[in-house]
mmCIF file with all atom_site columns, all heavy atoms in Angstrom:
data_model
loop_
_atom_site.group_PDB
_atom_site.id
_atom_site.type_symbol
_atom_site.label_atom_id
_atom_site.label_alt_id
_atom_site.label_comp_id
_atom_site.label_asym_id
_atom_site.label_entity_id
_atom_site.label_seq_id
_atom_site.pdbx_PDB_ins_code
_atom_site.Cartn_x
_atom_site.Cartn_y
_atom_site.Cartn_z
_atom_site.occupancy
_atom_site.B_iso_or_equiv
_atom_site.pdbx_formal_charge
_atom_site.auth_seq_id
_atom_site.auth_comp_id
_atom_site.auth_asym_id
_atom_site.auth_atom_id
_atom_site.pdbx_PDB_model_num
ATOM 1   N N   . THR B 1 167 ? 219.498 131.040 100.217 1.00 0.00 ? 365 THR B N   1
ATOM 2   C CA  . THR B 1 167 ? 218.735 129.956 99.590  1.00 0.00 ? 365 THR B CA  1
ATOM 3   C C   . THR B 1 167 ? 219.522 129.369 98.434  1.00 0.00 ? 365 THR B C   1
ATOM 4   O O   . THR B 1 167 ? 220.445 129.996 97.911  1.00 0.00 ? 365 THR B O   1
ATOM 5   C CB  . THR B 1 167 ? 217.402 130.490 99.033  1.00 0.00 ? 365 THR B CB  1
ATOM 6   O OG1 . THR B 1 167 ? 217.700 131.585 98.161  1.00 0.00 ? 365 THR B OG1 1
ATOM 7   C CG2 . THR B 1 167 ? 216.496 130.963 100.157 1.00 0.00 ? 365 THR B CG2 1
ATOM 8   N N   . SER B 1 168 ? 219.123 128.199 98.015  1.00 0.00 ? 366 SER B N   1
ATOM 9   C CA  . SER B 1 168 ? 219.816 127.519 96.941  1.00 0.00 ? 366 SER B CA  1
ATOM 10  C C   . SER B 1 168 ? 219.692 128.292 95.625  1.00 0.00 ? 366 SER B C   1
ATOM 11  O O   . SER B 1 168 ? 220.639 128.411 94.867  1.00 0.00 ? 366 SER B O   1
ATOM 12  C CB  . SER B 1 168 ? 219.236 126.115 96.799  1.00 0.00 ? 366 SER B CB  1
ATOM 13  O OG  . SER B 1 168 ? 219.748 125.504 95.656  1.00 0.00 ? 366 SER B OG  1
ATOM 14  N N   . CYS B 1 169 ? 218.519 128.841 95.375  1.00 0.00 ? 367 CYS B N   1
ATOM 15  C CA  . CYS B 1 169 ? 218.298 129.572 94.129  1.00 0.00 ? 367 CYS B CA  1
ATOM 16  C C   . CYS B 1 169 ? 218.349 131.076 94.408  1.00 0.00 ? 367 CYS B C   1
ATOM 17  O O   . CYS B 1 169 ? 217.719 131.545 95.357  1.00 0.00 ? 367 CYS B O   1
ATOM 18  C CB  . CYS B 1 169 ? 216.948 129.187 93.533  1.00 0.00 ? 367 CYS B CB  1
ATOM 19  S SG  . CYS B 1 169 ? 216.662 129.951 91.931  1.00 0.00 ? 367 CYS B SG  1
ATOM 20  N N   . PRO B 1 170 ? 219.107 131.836 93.588  1.00 0.00 ? 368 PRO B N   1
ATOM 21  C CA  . PRO B 1 170 ? 219.204 133.278 93.841  1.00 0.00 ? 368 PRO B CA  1
ATOM 22  C C   . PRO B 1 170 ? 217.864 134.018 93.746  1.00 0.00 ? 368 PRO B C   1
ATOM 23  O O   . PRO B 1 170 ? 217.755 135.146 94.228  1.00 0.00 ? 368 PRO B O   1
ATOM 24  C CB  . PRO B 1 170 ? 220.178 133.777 92.774  1.00 0.00 ? 368 PRO B CB  1
ATOM 25  C CG  . PRO B 1 170 ? 220.455 132.648 91.870  1.00 0.00 ? 368 PRO B CG  1
ATOM 26  C CD  . PRO B 1 170 ? 219.981 131.395 92.485  1.00 0.00 ? 368 PRO B CD  1
ATOM 27  N N   . THR B 1 171 ? 216.847 133.399 93.168  1.00 0.00 ? 369 THR B N   1
ATOM 28  C CA  . THR B 1 171 ? 215.548 134.076 93.071  1.00 0.00 ? 369 THR B CA  1
ATOM 29  C C   . THR B 1 171 ? 214.787 134.060 94.390  1.00 0.00 ? 369 THR B C   1
ATOM 30  O O   . THR B 1 171 ? 213.731 134.679 94.492  1.00 0.00 ? 369 THR B O   1
ATOM 31  C CB  . THR B 1 171 ? 214.640 133.420 92.014  1.00 0.00 ? 369 THR B CB  1
ATOM 32  O OG1 . THR B 1 171 ? 214.545 132.035 92.325  1.00 0.00 ? 369 THR B OG1 1
ATOM 33  C CG2 . THR B 1 171 ? 215.172 133.591 90.622  1.00 0.00 ? 369 THR B CG2 1
ATOM 34  N N   . ASN B 1 172 ? 215.272 133.332 95.394  1.00 0.00 ? 370 ASN B N   1
ATOM 35  C CA  . ASN B 1 172 ? 214.550 133.270 96.668  1.00 0.00 ? 370 ASN B CA  1
ATOM 36  C C   . ASN B 1 172 ? 215.274 133.964 97.811  1.00 0.00 ? 370 ASN B C   1
ATOM 37  O O   . ASN B 1 172 ? 214.752 134.050 98.920  1.00 0.00 ? 370 ASN B O   1
ATOM 38  C CB  . ASN B 1 172 ? 214.346 131.801 97.079  1.00 0.00 ? 370 ASN B CB  1
ATOM 39  C CG  . ASN B 1 172 ? 213.385 131.088 96.157  1.00 0.00 ? 370 ASN B CG  1
ATOM 40  O OD1 . ASN B 1 172 ? 212.361 131.639 95.775  1.00 0.00 ? 370 ASN B OD1 1
ATOM 41  N ND2 . ASN B 1 172 ? 213.731 129.878 95.766  1.00 0.00 ? 370 ASN B ND2 1
ATOM 42  N N   . VAL B 1 173 ? 216.508 134.439 97.552  1.00 0.00 ? 371 VAL B N   1
ATOM 43  C CA  . VAL B 1 173 ? 217.339 134.941 98.645  1.00 0.00 ? 371 VAL B CA  1
ATOM 44  C C   . VAL B 1 173 ? 216.730 136.194 99.304  1.00 0.00 ? 371 VAL B C   1
ATOM 45  O O   . VAL B 1 173 ? 215.900 136.864 98.711  1.00 0.00 ? 371 VAL B O   1
ATOM 46  C CB  . VAL B 1 173 ? 218.774 135.235 98.111  1.00 0.00 ? 371 VAL B CB  1
ATOM 47  C CG1 . VAL B 1 173 ? 218.772 136.476 97.247  1.00 0.00 ? 371 VAL B CG1 1
ATOM 48  C CG2 . VAL B 1 173 ? 219.756 135.347 99.243  1.00 0.00 ? 371 VAL B CG2 1
ATOM 49  N N   . GLY B 1 174 ? 217.142 136.449 100.528 1.00 0.00 ? 372 GLY B N   1
ATOM 50  C CA  . GLY B 1 174 ? 216.637 137.632 101.251 1.00 0.00 ? 372 GLY B CA  1
ATOM 51  C C   . GLY B 1 174 ? 215.581 137.203 102.233 1.00 0.00 ? 372 GLY B C   1
ATOM 52  O O   . GLY B 1 174 ? 215.868 136.629 103.273 1.00 0.00 ? 372 GLY B O   1
ATOM 53  N N   . THR B 1 175 ? 214.331 137.465 101.868 1.00 0.00 ? 373 THR B N   1
ATOM 54  C CA  . THR B 1 175 ? 213.227 137.061 102.743 1.00 0.00 ? 373 THR B CA  1
ATOM 55  C C   . THR B 1 175 ? 212.857 135.593 102.543 1.00 0.00 ? 373 THR B C   1
ATOM 56  O O   . THR B 1 175 ? 212.248 134.987 103.418 1.00 0.00 ? 373 THR B O   1
ATOM 57  C CB  . THR B 1 175 ? 211.970 137.889 102.427 1.00 0.00 ? 373 THR B CB  1
ATOM 58  O OG1 . THR B 1 175 ? 211.683 137.713 101.040 1.00 0.00 ? 373 THR B OG1 1
ATOM 59  C CG2 . THR B 1 175 ? 212.198 139.362 102.710 1.00 0.00 ? 373 THR B CG2 1
ATOM 60  N N   . GLY B 1 176 ? 213.194 135.036 101.380 1.00 0.00 ? 374 GLY B N   1
ATOM 61  C CA  . GLY B 1 176 ? 212.813 133.647 101.095 1.00 0.00 ? 374 GLY B CA  1
ATOM 62  C C   . GLY B 1 176 ? 211.310 133.473 100.950 1.00 0.00 ? 374 GLY B C   1
ATOM 63  O O   . GLY B 1 176 ? 210.814 132.351 100.955 1.00 0.00 ? 374 GLY B O   1
ATOM 64  N N   . ILE B 1 177 ? 210.600 134.574 100.797 1.00 0.00 ? 375 ILE B N   1
ATOM 65  C CA  . ILE B 1 177 ? 209.136 134.478 100.829 1.00 0.00 ? 375 ILE B CA  1
ATOM 66  C C   . ILE B 1 177 ? 208.526 134.422 99.428  1.00 0.00 ? 375 ILE B C   1
ATOM 67  O O   . ILE B 1 177 ? 208.965 135.112 98.500  1.00 0.00 ? 375 ILE B O   1
ATOM 68  C CB  . ILE B 1 177 ? 208.530 135.663 101.620 1.00 0.00 ? 375 ILE B CB  1
ATOM 69  C CG1 . ILE B 1 177 ? 207.075 135.412 101.977 1.00 0.00 ? 375 ILE B CG1 1
ATOM 70  C CG2 . ILE B 1 177 ? 208.627 136.949 100.843 1.00 0.00 ? 375 ILE B CG2 1
ATOM 71  C CD1 . ILE B 1 177 ? 206.489 136.457 102.896 1.00 0.00 ? 375 ILE B CD1 1
ATOM 72  N N   . ARG B 1 178 ? 207.564 133.543 99.266  1.00 0.00 ? 376 ARG B N   1
ATOM 73  C CA  . ARG B 1 178 ? 206.737 133.549 98.053  1.00 0.00 ? 376 ARG B CA  1
ATOM 74  C C   . ARG B 1 178 ? 205.291 133.523 98.527  1.00 0.00 ? 376 ARG B C   1
ATOM 75  O O   . ARG B 1 178 ? 204.837 132.544 99.128  1.00 0.00 ? 376 ARG B O   1
ATOM 76  C CB  . ARG B 1 178 ? 207.048 132.333 97.180  1.00 0.00 ? 376 ARG B CB  1
ATOM 77  C CG  . ARG B 1 178 ? 206.422 132.370 95.819  1.00 0.00 ? 376 ARG B CG  1
ATOM 78  C CD  . ARG B 1 178 ? 207.187 133.212 94.797  1.00 0.00 ? 376 ARG B CD  1
ATOM 79  N NE  . ARG B 1 178 ? 208.494 132.660 94.496  1.00 0.00 ? 376 ARG B NE  1
ATOM 80  C CZ  . ARG B 1 178 ? 209.597 133.418 94.291  1.00 0.00 ? 376 ARG B CZ  1
ATOM 81  N NH1 . ARG B 1 178 ? 209.526 134.713 94.318  1.00 0.00 ? 376 ARG B NH1 1
ATOM 82  N NH2 . ARG B 1 178 ? 210.748 132.847 94.042  1.00 0.00 ? 376 ARG B NH2 1
ATOM 83  N N   . ALA B 1 179 ? 204.600 134.625 98.302  1.00 0.00 ? 377 ALA B N   1
ATOM 84  C CA  . ALA B 1 179 ? 203.202 134.705 98.701  1.00 0.00 ? 377 ALA B CA  1
ATOM 85  C C   . ALA B 1 179 ? 202.357 134.630 97.449  1.00 0.00 ? 377 ALA B C   1
ATOM 86  O O   . ALA B 1 179 ? 202.698 135.241 96.436  1.00 0.00 ? 377 ALA B O   1
ATOM 87  C CB  . ALA B 1 179 ? 202.940 136.032 99.421  1.00 0.00 ? 377 ALA B CB  1
ATOM 88  N N   . SER B 1 180 ? 201.279 133.854 97.488  1.00 0.00 ? 378 SER B N   1
ATOM 89  C CA  . SER B 1 180 ? 200.465 133.755 96.287  1.00 0.00 ? 378 SER B CA  1
ATOM 90  C C   . SER B 1 180 ? 198.987 133.624 96.639  1.00 0.00 ? 378 SER B C   1
ATOM 91  O O   . SER B 1 180 ? 198.636 133.154 97.722  1.00 0.00 ? 378 SER B O   1
ATOM 92  C CB  . SER B 1 180 ? 200.910 132.567 95.437  1.00 0.00 ? 378 SER B CB  1
ATOM 93  O OG  . SER B 1 180 ? 200.748 131.375 96.155  1.00 0.00 ? 378 SER B OG  1
ATOM 94  N N   . VAL B 1 181 ? 198.175 134.093 95.711  1.00 0.00 ? 379 VAL B N   1
ATOM 95  C CA  . VAL B 1 181 ? 196.731 134.054 95.909  1.00 0.00 ? 379 VAL B CA  1
ATOM 96  C C   . VAL B 1 181 ? 196.129 133.415 94.658  1.00 0.00 ? 379 VAL B C   1
ATOM 97  O O   . VAL B 1 181 ? 196.509 133.760 93.542  1.00 0.00 ? 379 VAL B O   1
ATOM 98  C CB  . VAL B 1 181 ? 196.178 135.479 96.118  1.00 0.00 ? 379 VAL B CB  1
ATOM 99  C CG1 . VAL B 1 181 ? 194.668 135.465 96.202  1.00 0.00 ? 379 VAL B CG1 1
ATOM 100 C CG2 . VAL B 1 181 ? 196.776 136.110 97.370  1.00 0.00 ? 379 VAL B CG2 1
ATOM 101 N N   . MET B 1 182 ? 195.223 132.450 94.868  1.00 0.00 ? 380 MET B N   1
ATOM 102 C CA  . MET B 1 182 ? 194.582 131.796 93.735  1.00 0.00 ? 380 MET B CA  1
ATOM 103 C C   . MET B 1 182 ? 193.204 132.427 93.511  1.00 0.00 ? 380 MET B C   1
ATOM 104 O O   . MET B 1 182 ? 192.397 132.467 94.430  1.00 0.00 ? 380 MET B O   1
ATOM 105 C CB  . MET B 1 182 ? 194.416 130.301 94.000  1.00 0.00 ? 380 MET B CB  1
ATOM 106 C CG  . MET B 1 182 ? 194.174 129.487 92.732  1.00 0.00 ? 380 MET B CG  1
ATOM 107 S SD  . MET B 1 182 ? 193.367 127.874 93.008  1.00 0.00 ? 380 MET B SD  1
ATOM 108 C CE  . MET B 1 182 ? 194.491 127.069 94.101  1.00 0.00 ? 380 MET B CE  1
#
Side-chain angles (χ1 to χ4, degrees):
Chain B
T365 54
S366 172
C367 184
T369 54
N370 292 318
V371 73
T373 56
I375 195 173
R376 190 81 65 218
S378 61
V379 175
M380 198 202 301

